[in-house]
Amino acid sequence: IERPEGVLAPADTQQYLHISTEAGPGQKSLGARGRGPRTRRAFAPSGRPAGMDERVHEHARTLVEWSARVEPGDDVVVEVGEGAHDLGVAVAAALGERDANMVTLYGSPEMERAHRLAHDGGFDADPEYELALYERADAALFLRGSRNATATADVPSERSQAYSRARQGIREARFGTDWVSTVHPTRAMAQAAGMSAEAYRDFVYDAVLRDWEALADEMARVKTVLDDGETVRLLSLLPI
């Protein structure tokens, strides 16, 4: 998820998994916190759709409590991918537990494709309505979950680059929030990774659902060693 260690993938691998050991300014991290999750109330029965994998709820609690550190009264933008509905529902329940405010957006690569192909390419720079949303938000959660990993493959690269350049100020406003990006495992992502759906889900949750507080303590100890040292030797356990 995205400061020092996280669950956000580089753009070219984001469709497969959301793991990264680096983060940008303002970015949140699963493993970069010095304090653990606060005490939480139990979900109300209506907050748990029947039959939902318990790991989805654990993922949502990790995002809200550890990564974004949402506080009561925080204004939170949640962008939900077309295949991430279950995670979106679980995140909404977790935000409700925090007594936070929530605005939801729908993220669909197919809608993005339709808009960019139909547009003349002269995209307005940082539309005020979208910029204001992130400038006033305390946190932003991006829940990726594609149904088609190559949905925008036929959008000309020049068109996509023009759109990206026109949204630079909006990206900076997002980075100014406590923002987190993650994925909800879908069959399309499993197929793109060359894995079965079940194996891919296990792969994702094994990476995401960890003792991040303990890992943060371990990384803090490593940081102390590196800060006190002058030379780093890299030793390979495999023959070169």
Side-chain angles (χ1 to χ4, degrees):
I1 302 175
E2 300 201 52
R3 275 167 194 160
E5 301 204 17
V7 191
L8 178 76
D12 58 341
T13 58
Q14 193 168 25
Q15 64 198 38
Y16 302 132
L17 186 57
H18 55 298
I19 300 177
S20 174
T21 57
E22 298 181 358
Q27 185 177 345
K28 288 296 184 178
S29 163
L30 282 180
R33 295 291 171 247
R35 57 187 175 91
R38 293 178 292 271
T39 301
R40 58 178 180 270
R41 301 191 300 271
F43 279 109
S46 59
R48 285 185 178 274
M52 184 182 292
D53 190 330
E54 175 57 30
R55 294 176 297 182
V56 178
H57 286 286
E58 189 175 351
H59 188 180
R61 291 192 293 266
T62 299
L63 292 169
V64 171
E65 298 175 10
W66 177 260
S67 300
R69 293 303 175 94
V70 173
E71 302 282 354
D74 277 357
D75 297 323
V76 183
V77 178
V78 182
E79 181 179 304
V80 184
E82 57 192 0
H85 175 80
D86 283 358
L87 180 57
V89 171
V91 164
L95 290 172
E97 287 188 313
R98 280 286 192 264
D99 296 327
N101 304 312
M102 180 181 72
V103 170
T104 57
L105 305 176
Y106 179 63
S108 167
E110 291 185 358
M111 291 178 64
E112 293 173 6
R113 173 186 178 276
H115 177 257
R116 292 176 194 177
L117 288 177
H119 203 282
D120 65 8
F123 300 103
D124 292 342
D126 302 317
E128 185 176 352
Y129 75 96
E130 187 176 358
L131 182 62
L133 178 65
Y134 291 105
E135 286 180 335
R136 299 176 184 179
D138 296 301
L141 308 180
F142 301 95
L143 315 180
R144 312 301 185 188
S146 177
R147 293 175 181 168
N148 180 354
T150 59
T152 60
D154 58 349
V155 177
S157 59
E158 298 82 4
R159 188 71 55 88
S160 295
Q161 291 168 7
Y163 182 85
S164 179
R165 287 193 297 270
R167 293 301 190 274
Q168 181 175 349
I170 291 172
R171 285 196 301 276
E172 292 175 354
R174 289 175 179 173
F175 293 158
T177 69
D178 291 334
W179 70 282
V180 184
S181 182
T182 189
V183 300
H184 179 68
T186 65
R187 294 183 182 278
M189 291 178 175
Q191 185 175 29
M195 302 172 69
S196 69
E198 182 178 359
Y200 182 71
R201 281 194 298 269
D202 291 342
F203 176 62
V204 170
Y205 290 128
D206 285 347
V208 174
L209 305 181
R210 305 176 64 183
D211 186 346
W212 291 106
E213 185 174 6
L215 183 60
D217 292 340
E218 180 183 346
M219 293 299 100
R221 290 192 294 270
V222 172
K223 179 181 182 300
T224 299
V225 172
L226 294 175
D227 287 345
D228 293 341
E230 295 181 356
T231 303
V232 176
R233 296 179 60 202
L234 302 179
L235 303 178
S236 174
L237 298 178
L238 300 176
I240 297 178

